[in-house]
Amino acid sequence: MHVFDIIALFIFLAGLFIFVNTYFLKLPSSIGLMIMAIALSVIILLVGLIFPSLQIGAVELEEYDYAEVLYHVVLSFMLFSGALNIDFKKLSKERTPVLILATTGVLISTFVIGTLIYYMLGFVGIELHYLYCLVFGALISPTDPIAVTKTIKRFNLDKELEIKIAGESLFNDGIAVVLALTLLDIAHAGEDHALSVFETAYIIGADIGGGIFIGLFLGYLGYRLLKYVDNDAVEVEILITLAIVMAGSFLADFIHVSSKQAAVVMGLVIGNEGRGEHVTSAAGDYVFKFWNLMEESLAAMLFVLIGLEMLVIPRRLDYFSAGFFAVNIVLLGRWVSVYIPIKLMSVKRSFSPSTIPVLTWGALRGGLPIALSLSLSDFHGKDIIVTMTYIVVACSVLYQGLTVPLLMKMNFTEKKERKVHGH
């Protein structure tokens, strides 16, 4: 198949998934798309028994090297879109706990999950370097706010808790991705020779600091261009945002700094400066709508890829058993990463009693960890990381996603639409 044929097939299946979920399943996007991704896998497997050539074709389709596209386009676009929707004004007084949960929480989650995964894999007889276990801990830490926020709107949640859930999910995407890729760079560099503390600090500082610098520079440049362009020039404003994301990713990769950090910072700059009243909304509403559409479309195509991924992941019992162990380890890591910061912040701030269980159980994993795991460069142990990621995301979306409403009912009352009669 030609590249154009693959893109066309992915877009067609993504559109079909969204249509079926919107008008028939009517589930939160992540849950509905995951169900259809698994259904796609089962259908291909069953049809392959009758028509073996179709099974072979599906496997060959999945075995295309998507790593470059996922790394350079999909991740950058998704991170930019997520950051674009972060409005610091709406976070208001919840800004501090959101930032602490998204930074400290990701670091704690990465260390707890990575460490436990390292010992668990040793227990089941699978060898994986500790740094690669930390990479898995970081890439599985991003949470998907869409499925949960659509569910919690049905319930009388504290407004502050709702802001924490949405805000923390939006921030931890970029932080977790940058951390995972930085740890991967350190692991690759350490394969040649043992790194000193100075060399490790330099890699981290160069990756993150360089990405922030490029993000600030191109983000401000994009903001000034958007301010200069008339808001009626819809296509020009959209092209400006596309150009800075792609140029920023290229420039960051060219000088070997974090292109993902650059994408996040560009999104934050344009998302907040561009919508400010003092510049009469430099970025029009259609810019934000375009990037929301882009994010939804890319997420749908990722779930199509997830459906195909089930056909080629190693069918090893030890890998799958490790994946199901990882489901519980990831949940435990999430609980610890929420419990510690909230208990420390409780000294000076008050939190709803349901904050920890809702933030823990409502932390669904979406398409971002899948995209990140598939975009990793080849190394010994990548197959086990991809397998564990697949199983954790599938179980998280289906099991946690479908049971989140039960948790909400235990803690909050469901909103009822009331019609007022008379005067």
Side-chain angles (χ1 to χ4, degrees):
M1 295 181 72
H2 296 290
V3 174
F4 177 80
D5 298 327
I6 296 173
I7 295 172
L9 179 62
F10 270 52
I11 293 175
F12 169 74
L13 289 175
L16 180 63
F17 277 23
I18 293 174
F19 176 81
V20 171
N21 185 56
T22 302
Y23 291 99
F24 296 100
L25 298 181
K26 297 181 180 180
L27 293 168
S29 58
S30 295
I31 300 172
L33 293 174
M34 178 56 79
I35 290 173
M36 285 184 283
I38 294 175
L40 176 65
S41 301
V42 173
I43 290 170
I44 293 175
L45 287 171
L46 292 177
V47 172
L49 296 175
I50 304 172
F51 305 102
S53 60
L54 293 179
Q55 170 80 10
I56 294 170
V59 172
E60 289 177 348
L61 172 65
E62 207 289 324
E63 286 181 337
Y64 269 80
D65 186 7
Y66 301 112
E68 289 293 312
V69 176
L70 289 169
Y71 182 82
H72 291 290
V73 180
V74 175
L75 284 176
S76 294
F77 278 21
M78 292 185 76
L79 291 172
F80 178 83
S81 178
L84 196 68
N85 288 306
I86 297 175
D87 188 347
F88 285 115
K89 291 180 180 178
K90 288 184 179 179
L91 292 179
S92 59
K93 65 179 181 179
E94 297 303 316
R95 190 177 305 171
T96 299
V98 163
L99 289 173
I100 290 175
L101 284 169
T103 52
T104 307
V106 167
L107 292 173
I108 294 173
S109 173
T110 299
F111 177 76
V112 171
I113 294 173
T115 303
L116 292 178
I117 287 291
Y118 177 74
Y119 287 107
M120 181 273 292
L121 291 178
F123 176 75
V124 298
I126 300 173
E127 183 181 349
L128 186 64
H129 193 280
Y130 180 65
L131 278 175
Y132 291 126
C133 293
L134 291 179
V135 170
F136 172 75
L139 71 84
I140 204 66
S141 293
T143 56
D144 179 11
I146 298 173
V148 181
T149 50
K150 286 185 178 179
T151 301
I152 63 180
K153 288 185 184 299
R154 292 167 39 201
F155 298 86
N156 290 314
L157 257 73
D158 297 335
K159 191 64 181 175
E160 294 178 352
L161 178 55
E162 190 172 332
I163 292 172
K164 286 187 185 75
I165 293 171
E168 189 249 347
S169 296
L170 289 169
F171 270 108
N172 69 14
D173 281 4
I175 294 168
V177 169
V178 171
L179 180 59
L181 295 175
T182 303
L183 287 168
L184 187 65
D185 287 343
I186 294 171
H188 286 337
E191 289 177 352
D192 299 327
H193 66 280
L195 294 177
S196 66
V197 175
F198 175 78
E199 288 174 317
T200 303
Y202 174 78
I203 292 174
I204 295 173
D207 269 8
I208 297 176
I212 290 174
F213 175 78
I214 290 176
L216 287 173
F217 173 73
L218 288 180
Y220 182 73
L221 176 63
Y223 151 68
R224 297 299 300 182
L225 290 172
L226 289 171
K227 183 181 176 182
Y228 178 79
V229 174
D230 191 331
N231 273 357
D232 291 332
V234 179
E235 65 283 355
V236 177
E237 292 199 339
I238 290 174
L239 283 172
I240 287 172
T241 55
L242 281 169
I244 64 166
V245 176
M246 299 187 78
S249 295
F250 171 79
L251 181 59
D253 288 332
F254 181 74
I255 62 175
H256 305 293
V257 299
S258 175
S259 58
K260 307 303 162 272
Q261 185 70 61
V264 171
V265 173
M266 284 187 284
L268 289 173
V269 171
I270 292 178
N272 286 273
E273 293 296 330
R275 77 172 101 225
E277 295 178 1
H278 60 290
V279 294
T280 60
S281 297
D285 287 341
Y286 33 78
V287 172
F288 296 95
K289 290 177 180 178
F290 168 81
W291 280 101
N292 285 336
L293 171 64
M294 182 70 74
E295 185 177 22
E296 287 283 334
S297 301
L298 289 174
M301 284 187 273
L302 279 176
F303 278 100
V304 173
L305 190 58
I306 290 172
L308 295 171
E309 183 67 16
M310 182 181 260
L311 302 176
V312 295
I313 57 177
R315 294 172 188 173
R316 289 179 47 173
L317 183 59
D318 55 346
Y319 278 21
F320 276 88
S321 63
F324 286 108
F325 276 121
V327 171
N328 297 291
I329 290 174
V330 170
L331 268 175
L332 175 61
R334 173 64 179 177
W335 179 79
V336 173
S337 70
V338 169
Y339 182 85
I340 293 175
I342 286 180
K343 286 301 178 182
L344 292 175
M345 287 187 286
S346 296
V347 176
K348 293 186 177 181
R349 303 179 67 97
S350 60
F351 290 87
S352 165
S354 302
T355 299
I356 293 176
V358 170
L359 283 174
T360 301
W361 198 252
L364 309 189
R365 269 64 187 181
L368 191 61
I370 293 286
L372 185 53
S373 67
L374 293 175
S375 71
L376 298 177
S377 55
D378 287 332
F379 58 89
H380 177 69
K382 179 181 175 179
D383 283 347
I384 180 61
I385 288 180
V386 171
T387 304
M388 289 193 298
T389 303
Y390 178 92
I391 293 173
V392 169
V393 171
C395 291
S396 167
V397 170
L398 296 180
Y399 183 52
Q400 289 174 243
L402 292 173
T403 55
V404 160
L406 298 177
L407 174 66
M408 299 296 181
K409 286 179 181 178
M410 291 170 58
N411 293 275
F412 308 99
T413 59
E414 192 165 0
K415 293 178 182 177
K416 303 292 183 182
E417 295 294 330
R418 297 177 181 176
K419 294 183 179 180
V420 180
H421 300 281
H423 51 276

